[in-house]
Amino acid sequence: MTVGQNKGAAPSALETLIIGHSPAVERLREMIRRVARSNASVLLCGPSGSGKELVARAIHDEGVRADNAFTAINCGAIPSDLIESELFGHEKGSFTGAHARRIGHFEASDGGTLFLDEIGDMRFDMQVKLLRVLEDRTIVRVGSSEVRPVDIRLISATHQDLGDAIADGKFREDLFFRLGVVVIQVPALAARVEDIPALIRHFQRKMPADAKCRYDEGALAVLMQHQWPGNVRELRNFVERASVLHGGETLSAEDVTILLNPTAVPVLRPVASHSPAMVSADDEDHLAAHPAKMPAPGRPIDLKREIETIELEQIHNALDLADGIISEAARLLTLKRTTLIEKMRKYGVQQQAA
């Protein structure tokens, strides 16, 4: 089984934004269709990397404001002393550095949709001002007293538990209810792993043919068993990494395991003739001579050097077990042959055989 192109009816506009046909995604699409018909404020909840901005875009595109502006703002990326100006605008000379009048995102999005991502990071005094805007549908630029009406649909998102933030006094409960007239839970990728093949095809769509990877059954099984802490964003990065390192190849379970853990130190696979339950006298002598290193109290550890030492030792072990045959040593280390050669060059290990 490999990832290939699905044949059939052309996908709808909503399906091109929200990829997959798992029950979780089908429920999400149905919720988007229902919510898009109204002008109600929507709060999107879900883990980072799950695609909340795409859901916001889909709500906008499916609604009556689709022909007007869609603006996405990350509240956590704006310095706290500038967020009021970013959202509501300012007049020339209203503060140091305000050399000209600025139109804020609320005004610029008039008639359209404004998406405020990471709303949980907004400082408390700005939450009060945002609540007033949502209730009155008016804004006042910094340095002005003129009240300006705005017509926007507000969609916000957070990966935080706002219930905890409210209990801790960090988020206003009244703003939460105003933002979350409708609350939509965006599922984590681990809750919709059956969508992974479709997502891979989507991410490969614009790649040249020689950059696209294929995945055998074992590879797909590993992908579906992975926990995906970075969600869809992690999968997108994985697909790009695979195309850079293995473009045009068919990937196995072993290849995928390595690609999913690019910073992991290779671990030597056990050889069939050496049972873990049977340790030879030579093995015992080696363990006694090389006890596990423990950090001394108050002493710093050069972690990079320790990792390199372990890596070099495993390379020597693998080459010994493989009688110097690099391709076999690479298999034992679950590395590509070329990767092992590069590491041998890095550490000055003599190439004994090809």
PDB file of all heavy atoms in Angstrom, residues 279-300:
ATOM      1  N   VAL A 279      24.719 -12.980  29.146  1.00  0.00           N
ATOM      2  CA  VAL A 279      25.839 -12.054  29.076  1.00  0.00           C
ATOM      3  C   VAL A 279      27.121 -12.832  29.274  1.00  0.00           C
ATOM      4  O   VAL A 279      27.273 -13.564  30.258  1.00  0.00           O
ATOM      5  CB  VAL A 279      25.706 -10.954  30.163  1.00  0.00           C
ATOM      6  CG1 VAL A 279      26.861  -9.976  30.064  1.00  0.00           C
ATOM      7  CG2 VAL A 279      24.375 -10.247  30.024  1.00  0.00           C
ATOM      8  N   SER A 280      28.041 -12.668  28.314  1.00  0.00           N
ATOM      9  CA  SER A 280      29.290 -13.409  28.397  1.00  0.00           C
ATOM     10  C   SER A 280      30.231 -12.775  29.412  1.00  0.00           C
ATOM     11  O   SER A 280      30.017 -11.654  29.875  1.00  0.00           O
ATOM     12  CB  SER A 280      29.968 -13.424  27.018  1.00  0.00           C
ATOM     13  OG  SER A 280      30.401 -12.113  26.680  1.00  0.00           O
ATOM     14  N   ALA A 281      31.304 -13.481  29.729  1.00  0.00           N
ATOM     15  CA  ALA A 281      32.292 -12.935  30.652  1.00  0.00           C
ATOM     16  C   ALA A 281      32.923 -11.682  30.072  1.00  0.00           C
ATOM     17  O   ALA A 281      33.221 -10.724  30.788  1.00  0.00           O
ATOM     18  CB  ALA A 281      33.366 -13.992  30.953  1.00  0.00           C
ATOM     19  N   ASP A 282      33.149 -11.697  28.742  1.00  0.00           N
ATOM     20  CA  ASP A 282      33.725 -10.518  28.083  1.00  0.00           C
ATOM     21  C   ASP A 282      32.803  -9.324  28.222  1.00  0.00           C
ATOM     22  O   ASP A 282      33.246  -8.193  28.442  1.00  0.00           O
ATOM     23  CB  ASP A 282      33.990 -10.810  26.605  1.00  0.00           C
ATOM     24  CG  ASP A 282      35.149 -11.773  26.421  1.00  0.00           C
ATOM     25  OD1 ASP A 282      35.956 -11.928  27.364  1.00  0.00           O
ATOM     26  OD2 ASP A 282      35.245 -12.359  25.321  1.00  0.00           O
ATOM     27  N   ASP A 283      31.473  -9.583  28.075  1.00  0.00           N
ATOM     28  CA  ASP A 283      30.502  -8.504  28.214  1.00  0.00           C
ATOM     29  C   ASP A 283      30.532  -7.933  29.630  1.00  0.00           C
ATOM     30  O   ASP A 283      30.452  -6.717  29.829  1.00  0.00           O
ATOM     31  CB  ASP A 283      29.093  -9.007  27.898  1.00  0.00           C
ATOM     32  CG  ASP A 283      28.924  -9.315  26.425  1.00  0.00           C
ATOM     33  OD1 ASP A 283      29.619  -8.685  25.603  1.00  0.00           O
ATOM     34  OD2 ASP A 283      28.080 -10.182  26.102  1.00  0.00           O
ATOM     35  N   GLU A 284      30.641  -8.816  30.628  1.00  0.00           N
ATOM     36  CA  GLU A 284      30.666  -8.366  32.011  1.00  0.00           C
ATOM     37  C   GLU A 284      31.904  -7.516  32.279  1.00  0.00           C
ATOM     38  O   GLU A 284      31.846  -6.508  32.986  1.00  0.00           O
ATOM     39  CB  GLU A 284      30.629  -9.567  32.954  1.00  0.00           C
ATOM     40  CG  GLU A 284      29.291 -10.302  32.947  1.00  0.00           C
ATOM     41  CD  GLU A 284      29.316 -11.517  33.854  1.00  0.00           C
ATOM     42  OE1 GLU A 284      30.415 -11.958  34.231  1.00  0.00           O
ATOM     43  OE2 GLU A 284      28.231 -12.011  34.188  1.00  0.00           O
ATOM     44  N   ASP A 285      33.046  -7.952  31.703  1.00  0.00           N
ATOM     45  CA  ASP A 285      34.276  -7.171  31.864  1.00  0.00           C
ATOM     46  C   ASP A 285      34.116  -5.789  31.235  1.00  0.00           C
ATOM     47  O   ASP A 285      34.581  -4.787  31.795  1.00  0.00           O
ATOM     48  CB  ASP A 285      35.458  -7.902  31.210  1.00  0.00           C
ATOM     49  CG  ASP A 285      35.825  -9.159  31.973  1.00  0.00           C
ATOM     50  OD1 ASP A 285      35.460  -9.263  33.169  1.00  0.00           O
ATOM     51  OD2 ASP A 285      36.482 -10.037  31.371  1.00  0.00           O
ATOM     52  N   HIS A 286      33.446  -5.752  30.045  1.00  0.00           N
ATOM     53  CA  HIS A 286      33.257  -4.466  29.366  1.00  0.00           C
ATOM     54  C   HIS A 286      32.359  -3.544  30.188  1.00  0.00           C
ATOM     55  O   HIS A 286      32.648  -2.342  30.326  1.00  0.00           O
ATOM     56  CB  HIS A 286      32.622  -4.694  27.986  1.00  0.00           C
ATOM     57  CG  HIS A 286      32.323  -3.417  27.256  1.00  0.00           C
ATOM     58  ND1 HIS A 286      33.289  -2.689  26.609  1.00  0.00           N
ATOM     59  CD2 HIS A 286      31.150  -2.732  27.090  1.00  0.00           C
ATOM     60  CE1 HIS A 286      32.754  -1.600  26.073  1.00  0.00           C
ATOM     61  NE2 HIS A 286      31.456  -1.614  26.354  1.00  0.00           N
ATOM     62  N   LEU A 287      31.283  -4.099  30.750  1.00  0.00           N
ATOM     63  CA  LEU A 287      30.377  -3.286  31.558  1.00  0.00           C
ATOM     64  C   LEU A 287      31.069  -2.761  32.807  1.00  0.00           C
ATOM     65  O   LEU A 287      30.836  -1.630  33.231  1.00  0.00           O
ATOM     66  CB  LEU A 287      29.138  -4.101  31.942  1.00  0.00           C
ATOM     67  CG  LEU A 287      28.184  -4.437  30.795  1.00  0.00           C
ATOM     68  CD1 LEU A 287      27.123  -5.421  31.283  1.00  0.00           C
ATOM     69  CD2 LEU A 287      27.527  -3.169  30.255  1.00  0.00           C
ATOM     70  N   ALA A 288      31.931  -3.604  33.387  1.00  0.00           N
ATOM     71  CA  ALA A 288      32.642  -3.169  34.579  1.00  0.00           C
ATOM     72  C   ALA A 288      33.632  -2.054  34.264  1.00  0.00           C
ATOM     73  O   ALA A 288      33.856  -1.149  35.068  1.00  0.00           O
ATOM     74  CB  ALA A 288      33.384  -4.361  35.216  1.00  0.00           C
ATOM     75  N   ALA A 289      34.234  -2.152  33.070  1.00  0.00           N
ATOM     76  CA  ALA A 289      35.228  -1.153  32.673  1.00  0.00           C
ATOM     77  C   ALA A 289      34.591   0.135  32.187  1.00  0.00           C
ATOM     78  O   ALA A 289      35.244   1.173  32.134  1.00  0.00           O
ATOM     79  CB  ALA A 289      36.131  -1.726  31.575  1.00  0.00           C
ATOM     80  N   HIS A 290      33.314   0.078  31.773  1.00  0.00           N
ATOM     81  CA  HIS A 290      32.614   1.249  31.241  1.00  0.00           C
ATOM     82  C   HIS A 290      31.297   1.462  31.990  1.00  0.00           C
ATOM     83  O   HIS A 290      30.226   1.255  31.433  1.00  0.00           O
ATOM     84  CB  HIS A 290      32.337   1.086  29.743  1.00  0.00           C
ATOM     85  CG  HIS A 290      33.586   0.953  28.927  1.00  0.00           C
ATOM     86  ND1 HIS A 290      34.202  -0.258  28.746  1.00  0.00           N
ATOM     87  CD2 HIS A 290      34.314   1.887  28.253  1.00  0.00           C
ATOM     88  CE1 HIS A 290      35.289  -0.087  27.982  1.00  0.00           C
ATOM     89  NE2 HIS A 290      35.367   1.205  27.673  1.00  0.00           N
ATOM     90  N   PRO A 291      31.367   1.803  33.268  1.00  0.00           N
ATOM     91  CA  PRO A 291      30.118   2.018  34.014  1.00  0.00           C
ATOM     92  C   PRO A 291      29.376   3.220  33.472  1.00  0.00           C
ATOM     93  O   PRO A 291      29.962   4.117  32.881  1.00  0.00           O
ATOM     94  CB  PRO A 291      30.608   2.283  35.447  1.00  0.00           C
ATOM     95  CG  PRO A 291      31.999   2.838  35.258  1.00  0.00           C
ATOM     96  CD  PRO A 291      32.560   2.126  34.061  1.00  0.00           C
ATOM     97  N   ALA A 292      28.051   3.237  33.696  1.00  0.00           N
ATOM     98  CA  ALA A 292      27.238   4.369  33.252  1.00  0.00           C
ATOM     99  C   ALA A 292      27.689   5.631  33.975  1.00  0.00           C
ATOM    100  O   ALA A 292      27.899   5.628  35.183  1.00  0.00           O
ATOM    101  CB  ALA A 292      25.759   4.102  33.545  1.00  0.00           C
ATOM    102  N   LYS A 293      27.842   6.721  33.198  1.00  0.00           N
ATOM    103  CA  LYS A 293      28.305   7.969  33.778  1.00  0.00           C
ATOM    104  C   LYS A 293      27.152   8.705  34.435  1.00  0.00           C
ATOM    105  O   LYS A 293      26.109   8.891  33.830  1.00  0.00           O
ATOM    106  CB  LYS A 293      28.951   8.847  32.700  1.00  0.00           C
ATOM    107  CG  LYS A 293      30.233   8.253  32.131  1.00  0.00           C
ATOM    108  CD  LYS A 293      30.881   9.217  31.146  1.00  0.00           C
ATOM    109  CE  LYS A 293      32.184   8.644  30.613  1.00  0.00           C
ATOM    110  NZ  LYS A 293      32.838   9.561  29.659  1.00  0.00           N
ATOM    111  N   MET A 294      27.394   9.113  35.676  1.00  0.00           N
ATOM    112  CA  MET A 294      26.402   9.891  36.393  1.00  0.00           C
ATOM    113  C   MET A 294      27.000  11.250  36.701  1.00  0.00           C
ATOM    114  O   MET A 294      28.185  11.356  37.044  1.00  0.00           O
ATOM    115  CB  MET A 294      26.013   9.188  37.705  1.00  0.00           C
ATOM    116  CG  MET A 294      25.349   7.838  37.486  1.00  0.00           C
ATOM    117  SD  MET A 294      23.745   8.006  36.695  1.00  0.00           S
ATOM    118  CE  MET A 294      22.835   8.778  38.017  1.00  0.00           C
ATOM    119  N   PRO A 295      26.193  12.328  36.573  1.00  0.00           N
ATOM    120  CA  PRO A 295      26.731  13.653  36.869  1.00  0.00           C
ATOM    121  C   PRO A 295      27.093  13.792  38.338  1.00  0.00           C
ATOM    122  O   PRO A 295      26.328  13.420  39.216  1.00  0.00           O
ATOM    123  CB  PRO A 295      25.579  14.588  36.496  1.00  0.00           C
ATOM    124  CG  PRO A 295      24.355  13.744  36.572  1.00  0.00           C
ATOM    125  CD  PRO A 295      24.784  12.377  36.189  1.00  0.00           C
ATOM    126  N   ALA A 296      28.309  14.307  38.578  1.00  0.00           N
ATOM    127  CA  ALA A 296      28.716  14.558  39.959  1.00  0.00           C
ATOM    128  C   ALA A 296      27.987  15.784  40.482  1.00  0.00           C
ATOM    129  O   ALA A 296      27.705  16.703  39.724  1.00  0.00           O
ATOM    130  CB  ALA A 296      30.230  14.779  40.016  1.00  0.00           C
ATOM    131  N   PRO A 297      27.667  15.797  41.784  1.00  0.00           N
ATOM    132  CA  PRO A 297      26.938  16.939  42.344  1.00  0.00           C
ATOM    133  C   PRO A 297      27.668  18.252  42.074  1.00  0.00           C
ATOM    134  O   PRO A 297      28.853  18.385  42.376  1.00  0.00           O
ATOM    135  CB  PRO A 297      26.883  16.626  43.844  1.00  0.00           C
ATOM    136  CG  PRO A 297      27.040  15.136  43.911  1.00  0.00           C
ATOM    137  CD  PRO A 297      27.942  14.760  42.783  1.00  0.00           C
ATOM    138  N   GLY A 298      26.972  19.198  41.486  1.00  0.00           N
ATOM    139  CA  GLY A 298      27.539  20.520  41.228  1.00  0.00           C
ATOM    140  C   GLY A 298      28.457  20.591  40.033  1.00  0.00           C
ATOM    141  O   GLY A 298      28.996  21.658  39.733  1.00  0.00           O
ATOM    142  N   ARG A 299      28.696  19.477  39.339  1.00  0.00           N
ATOM    143  CA  ARG A 299      29.606  19.469  38.191  1.00  0.00           C
ATOM    144  C   ARG A 299      28.806  19.560  36.897  1.00  0.00           C
ATOM    145  O   ARG A 299      27.855  18.820  36.691  1.00  0.00           O
ATOM    146  CB  ARG A 299      30.422  18.170  38.177  1.00  0.00           C
ATOM    147  CG  ARG A 299      31.365  18.026  39.349  1.00  0.00           C
ATOM    148  CD  ARG A 299      32.603  18.898  39.162  1.00  0.00           C
ATOM    149  NE  ARG A 299      33.343  18.517  37.984  1.00  0.00           N
ATOM    150  CZ  ARG A 299      34.216  17.497  37.942  1.00  0.00           C
ATOM    151  NH1 ARG A 299      34.422  16.780  39.029  1.00  0.00           N
ATOM    152  NH2 ARG A 299      34.862  17.224  36.843  1.00  0.00           N
ATOM    153  N   PRO A 300      29.195  20.479  35.972  1.00  0.00           N
ATOM    154  CA  PRO A 300      28.481  20.579  34.693  1.00  0.00           C
ATOM    155  C   PRO A 300      28.771  19.388  33.798  1.00  0.00           C
ATOM    156  O   PRO A 300      29.824  18.752  33.901  1.00  0.00           O
ATOM    157  CB  PRO A 300      29.026  21.877  34.093  1.00  0.00           C
ATOM    158  CG  PRO A 300      30.394  22.031  34.698  1.00  0.00           C
ATOM    159  CD  PRO A 300      30.269  21.480  36.090  1.00  0.00           C
TER     160      PRO A 300
END
